[in-house]
Amino acid sequence: YSFIFLFLATIGYFVYFDAVQSKDIITHPGNIHIAKLQDHTLRGRILASDGSELARTDVGADGKETRVYPYGNAFAHVVGTSKINKSGLEASYESQMLLSNDNPLRKIVNDLKNEKNKGDDVVTTLDLSLQQVAYNALGNNQGVVLAIEPSTGKILAMVSKPDYDPNTLAENYNDIISDENNKCLLNQATLGLFTPGSIFKIFTTLEYMREHPDYSAYSYICNGSIYLDGGSGVTQMLACYHQTVHGTQDLAASFANSCNASFAHMGTLLNRTSFNQLCDQMLFNQKLPTSIPHYQSSFHLNSDDSDWMVGATAIGQGNTTMTPLHAAIIVSAIANDGVVMEPYLVDRIQNYSGNTVEKYMPKTYGSIMSSSEAEILTDMMEDVVTSGTATSLSGMGYAIAGKTGTAEVDNYGNNAWFVGFAPADDPEI
């Protein structure tokens, strides 16, 4: 009986492995057998959502294969490269592009002729024109533009600068890596950790609302700065931008005007344990709900931190860092009635003939705030654009909800942020 049990258990595991686990093992980037697939398969293409080629393999008359990136720098980080500094979609979906689900008869003929089969294509969610607009708008600035469809989690654009030309990376690689300050190979949209500054006031506001049901009665008189106990009897200042005197501020006005003094004061009124719990709920200190490789954002507020550190944390300074991907997920959740949709970059895998092999559907992670909380935050974010720190975005012909942020970074300068969505009443991006 023991032998029969072990035999059936073994057979059961083989069936489970073949049906459930085998695909993950086969497609894992670390599987060394993937490289052998290149002996028999011509690497598939990476396509934009409209079918435009973002990466393809050209074969010369001598049989030499060259990976070509028609849009060069514009898609460098999100598409990545397939050889040197293997990264982006080229790395994550390598196994899919080296498997061929083409016509079986054609594959047999190719095998008999000793010719390679054509690998499957990866069709992304990326909008070609939007990516180009984002790339051009960022200009020569260092930074990120990231756009998500909030109702589905589809990533429509992902630009990171400084960048590089993937077509010439092999020739320039040694020069790039020899400069330790060169960040052109880093996709800062997913792997860049930045001090959030005032966009973090979204979380402070939400925590204050949860702890104080009478939040509409909040009032603070701003004189342009606030002095708080920095520990050991030392008083330290936190100032509003340019030490602007905002006067009497309620919660909505504090948010619209991004009043540091008011929010630092607000931070001292919060329960630190609850604040930590809220930030955990808002996906800090953990893996984000996406298969896209990324770093974790971090938030730390200790029970023995000084009032000054609490105030600094409440305005988005302190010991807090965020990735742009995380920020985009949070603002998309606000736009989607508090529900997080898992961000994704690939719509489907198709064979070379265009027949779908695998379709990826939107996935709901869950609700991180109530729909009423999301509605209140949306109203406050609209005020930011209509009468607050982002009035340069008003008058566009549609309502925009957003939040600005300027974070001071020692020995670096400022991180300038904007997070938002539009149209505010029926968000699309």
Side-chain angles (χ1 to χ4, degrees), residues 195 197 239-241 260 316-318 406-415:
T195 305
C240 292
Y241 191 61
N260 284 344
Q317 298 280 162
T406 305
E408 298 176 0
V409 182
D410 291 340
N411 303 317
Y412 180 78
N414 290 339
N415 288 335

Side-chain angles (χ1 to χ4, degrees), residues 4 48 61 107 152 183 279 322 324:
I4 292 173
K107 291 170 67 174
T152 63
K183 296 182 178 180
C279 287
M322 285 186 78

Side-chain angles (χ1 to χ4, degrees), residues 288-299:
L288 297 174
T290 178
S291 61
I292 301 168
H294 62 276
Y295 285 156
Q296 294 183 13
S297 301
S298 64
F299 174 87

Side-chain angles (χ1 to χ4, degrees), residues 72-147:
N73 299 47
F75 287 87
H77 293 98
V78 63
V79 169
T81 49
S82 62
K83 293 185 178 178
I84 292 182
N85 191 55
K86 189 179 293 183
S87 60
L89 293 169
E90 288 278 36
S92 299
Y93 288 85
E94 180 172 50
S95 59
Q96 286 87 340
M97 289 183 282
L98 290 176
L99 292 173
S100 178
N101 285 283
D102 205 356
N103 186 299
L105 293 177
R106 186 180 296 137
K107 291 170 67 174
I108 292 173
V109 171
N110 289 338
D111 289 341
L112 293 174
K113 295 167 64 178
N114 200 29
E115 294 180 356
K116 289 187 175 183
N117 298 309
K118 291 182 177 179
D120 294 342
D121 296 333
V122 173
V123 183
T124 71
T125 60
L126 296 166
D127 184 300
L128 176 63
S129 61
L130 188 63
Q131 180 85 2
Q132 291 174 315
V133 165
Y135 183 84
N136 294 333
L138 195 53
N140 294 323
N141 295 294
Q142 296 187 49
V144 168
V145 178
L146 181 60

Side-chain angles (χ1 to χ4, degrees), residues 158-178:
M158 182 185 287
V159 175
S160 177
K161 291 190 178 185
D163 55 44
Y164 63 94
D165 185 349
N167 294 297
T168 59
L169 180 60
E171 299 97 286
N172 301 325
Y173 186 70
N174 288 331
D175 290 337
I176 291 172
I177 63 174
S178 65

Side-chain angles (χ1 to χ4, degrees), residues 167-407:
N167 294 297
T168 59
L169 180 60
E171 299 97 286
N172 301 325
Y173 186 70
N174 288 331
D175 290 337
I176 291 172
I177 63 174
S178 65
D179 181 0
E180 61 181 15
N181 295 318
N182 193 331
K183 296 182 178 180
C184 73
L185 298 180
L186 178 68
N187 184 356
Q188 297 186 96
T190 59
L191 303 175
L193 288 167
F194 301 96
T195 305
S198 291
I199 68 167
F200 186 83
K201 291 171 183 172
I202 292 172
F203 305 106
T204 306
T205 299
L206 185 57
E207 177 61 23
Y208 186 84
M209 288 165 50
R210 289 183 176 181
E211 289 190 34
H212 300 84
D214 61 342
Y215 62 87
S216 59
Y218 173 83
S219 182
Y220 178 81
I221 300 176
C222 169
N223 296 310
S225 62
I226 186 173
Y227 290 86
L228 295 170
D229 180 12
S232 302
V234 178
T235 301
Q236 293 178 270
M237 182 184 74
L238 286 169
C240 292
Y241 191 61
H242 294 320
Q243 289 191 280
T244 302
V245 176
H246 294 110
T248 302
Q249 301 281 284
D250 61 11
L251 182 59
S254 299
F255 191 92
N257 295 321
S258 204
C259 179
N260 284 344
S262 177
F263 269 91
H265 167 71
M266 197 183 305
T268 64
L269 305 178
L270 300 179
N271 180 290
R272 299 184 188 187
T273 300
S274 297
F275 204 6
N276 275 292
Q277 291 173 346
L278 176 128
C279 287
D280 287 343
Q281 184 182 3
M282 296 295 138
L283 307 176
F284 283 93
N285 307 317
Q286 60 189 286
K287 185 180 181 297
L288 297 174
T290 178
S291 61
I292 301 168
H294 62 276
Y295 285 156
Q296 294 183 13
S297 301
S298 64
F299 174 87
H300 300 286
L301 187 61
N302 300 318
S303 58
D304 58 352
D305 282 337
S306 67
D307 284 351
W308 184 90
M309 178 57 74
V310 174
T313 300
I315 66 172
Q317 298 280 162
N319 299 315
T320 307
T321 59
M322 285 186 78
T323 61
L325 176 60
H326 184 189
I329 290 174
I330 295 300
V331 78
S332 293
I334 298 172
N336 195 42
D337 295 327
V339 177
V340 171
M341 302 300 294
E342 297 184 12
Y344 66 108
L345 275 166
V346 175
D347 178 74
R348 64 187 182 277
I349 307 297
Q350 64 183 31
N351 66 16
Y352 188 78
S353 301
N355 298 317
T356 298
V357 174
E358 185 173 4
K359 176 72 174 177
Y360 297 91
M361 302 302 294
K363 294 181 180 178
T364 302
Y365 168 74
S367 178
I368 60 172
M369 66 185 73
S370 68
S371 58
S372 60
E373 290 173 333
E375 184 178 1
I376 294 167
L377 288 173
T378 296
D379 290 340
M380 291 186 181
M381 293 169 72
E382 283 192 78
D383 289 344
V384 171
V385 175
T386 57
S387 61
T389 56
T391 53
S392 59
L393 292 176
S394 62
M396 293 289 185
Y398 48 87
I400 300 173
K403 184 71 188 79
T404 57
T406 305

